[in-house]
Amino acid sequence: MRAFVTGASGFLGSYVTELLVRRGAEVAVLLRKTSDTWRIDALLPELRVIEGDLLDIGAVSTTIEAFRPDVIFHLAWYGVGNDLRDDPAQVDVNLLSSLALLRLGLNAKCGAWVGIGSQAEYGPQNRMLDERAPTEPTTTYGAVKLCVGVLARQLAVGTPMRFAWLRLFSAYGPKDHNSWMIPQLINTLQRGSKPSLTACEQQWDYLFVEDAAEAVCQVAAAPNAHGVFNLGSGEARSLRDVVEQIRDQVAPGQSLGIGEVPYRRDQVMHLQADISRLRHATGWAPKVGLEEGLRRTAQWYCTNRNGEQ
């Protein structure tokens, strides 16, 4: 397989890239001059690096088309952090560049285009969600993800290129960004501090990042996997359980500030993916349980105290 990957230096993208290389794929990645590549530094000698920017994909389109990718993996996205979820640049940066990448795939006669969507496309519905659930995003991030998925799917209709869009729920694991809840909690506990938390009554779907990467690669390899898929563990676990497991791994006996932080206005209390469509199309199922995943995550952060290798 010849695979072209955007977002290869990001959290999930780095795991997808590593898995592709490990399985013998010829992998090209799009990297800006300013990209922080610490997650994939060990892989760089085995990658074909195309220096460019998704915002100006036309400048490197000839190079990408000459690579003749069998599959394009689109994992790059501006504004994933909570503080940027309603940034107007979500539209300017992500929408047109994603569609330009899809058109490039069509021009390159690419066999499949696999993009990463988000549970934010559904909005807070507080129940198990399958792909038929109404899409009611409450953030610009979710709305733009939804727009890209819908428009890209429409552009691919009637073409030989297979389109797949994976709505990712909550992925976690080593090498995640320090601003997310699990790394932030681990780092706070490592400092010997008491973390301030909500009442932790939420029931959330957590998927270990290695399982998420495996699913992405299996979708790319499955000829009948097309359209929209939920990507999660399929189980909802109490946030209090998650928090206490992490505390017991990192700082046993440390007190937790449960209930010190009020819920957000749009707080999601039940987030759970129905993954039966993905299972049926690919045979994929998560392998790493929450307990094992949290143990491995806590161990990595305790070894890499600054959150980077």
Side-chain angles (χ1 to χ4, degrees):
M1 176 196 292
R2 289 186 303 277
F4 175 70
V5 183
T6 72
S9 62
F11 176 46
L12 177 57
S14 67
Y15 282 88
V16 170
T17 302
E18 181 180 1
L19 190 55
L20 289 167
V21 169
R22 200 162 69 230
R23 293 184 174 171
E26 186 179 350
V27 183
V29 300
L30 182 70
L31 294 177
R32 300 186 306 273
K33 286 183 179 180
T34 57
S35 293
D36 186 353
T37 61
W38 68 271
R39 292 183 179 91
I40 57 169
D41 280 344
L43 295 174
L44 289 176
E46 302 180 70
L47 303 175
R48 178 170 178 181
V49 175
I50 299 174
E51 192 174 283
D53 194 314
L54 194 58
L55 286 173
D56 188 17
I57 198 69
V60 290
S61 60
T62 301
T63 304
I64 297 169
E65 289 178 23
F67 176 67
R68 295 181 298 114
D70 299 305
V71 182
I72 290 176
F73 296 86
H74 181 35
L75 292 96
W77 198 269
Y78 163 80
V80 176
N82 286 325
D83 56 337
L84 296 172
R85 289 299 171 103
D86 287 310
D87 189 334
Q90 289 277 354
V91 179
D92 301 332
V93 175
N94 295 317
L95 181 58
L96 295 181
S97 61
S98 297
L99 298 180
L101 179 66
L102 183 125
R103 287 193 292 269
L104 188 154
L106 292 171
N107 292 337
K109 296 181 170 52
C110 181
W113 194 92
V114 180
I116 300 299
S118 171
Q119 52 80 20
E121 296 173 53
Y122 292 115
Q125 298 190 38
N126 294 309
R127 61 187 177 90
M128 177 179 272
L129 298 168
D130 65 22
E131 294 83 357
R132 297 168 297 179
T135 47
E136 300 174 349
T138 57
T139 63
T140 306
Y141 168 81
V144 177
K145 281 283 191 183
L146 178 61
C147 287
V148 169
V150 170
L151 290 170
R153 184 178 189 175
Q154 186 62 34
L155 289 171
V157 169
T159 75
M161 187 172 73
R162 181 166 54 90
F163 165 83
W165 187 250
L166 282 71
R167 288 176 177 157
L168 180 63
F169 280 59
S170 295
Y172 74 99
K175 301 190 287 187
D176 201 354
H177 195 281
N178 282 330
S179 64
W180 292 112
M181 191 276 288
I182 288 177
Q184 197 172 71
L185 176 61
I186 294 170
N187 291 332
T188 299
L189 290 167
Q190 281 186 296
R191 294 193 300 268
S193 301
K194 182 181 77 170
S196 294
L197 302 160
T198 67
C200 295
E201 300 161 308
Q202 302 96 312
Q203 299 284 326
W204 284 353
D205 187 321
Y206 281 105
L207 179 65
F208 192 61
V209 65
E210 291 180 9
D211 282 332
E214 178 66 39
V216 173
C217 292
Q218 286 199 28
V219 165
N224 294 321
H226 58 84
V228 176
F229 298 93
N230 286 339
L231 178 53
S233 70
E235 298 181 354
R237 297 286 291 270
S238 159
L239 184 58
R240 182 166 191 145
D241 180 30
V242 172
V243 166
E244 289 178 346
Q245 283 195 53
I246 293 170
R247 185 269 315 277
D248 293 344
Q249 288 284 340
V250 178
Q254 174 66 272
S255 61
L256 299 169
I258 291 176
E260 292 182 357
V261 177
Y263 291 128
R264 294 196 320 244
R265 176 182 54 82
D266 59 346
Q267 179 66 59
V268 177
M269 297 303 295
H270 183 186
L271 182 64
Q272 185 176 3
D274 182 332
I275 57 173
S276 55
R277 185 169 189 272
L278 181 59
R279 286 178 185 265
H280 179 74
T282 66
W284 171 86
K287 294 180 179 178
V288 180
L290 183 65
E291 291 75 11
E292 172 66 10
L294 291 176
R295 185 192 66 77
R296 288 163 61 177
T297 302
Q299 183 179 56
W300 187 88
Y301 278 96
C302 289
T303 303
N304 301 272
R305 294 184 67 89
N306 62 353
E308 297 185 6
Q309 289 180 319

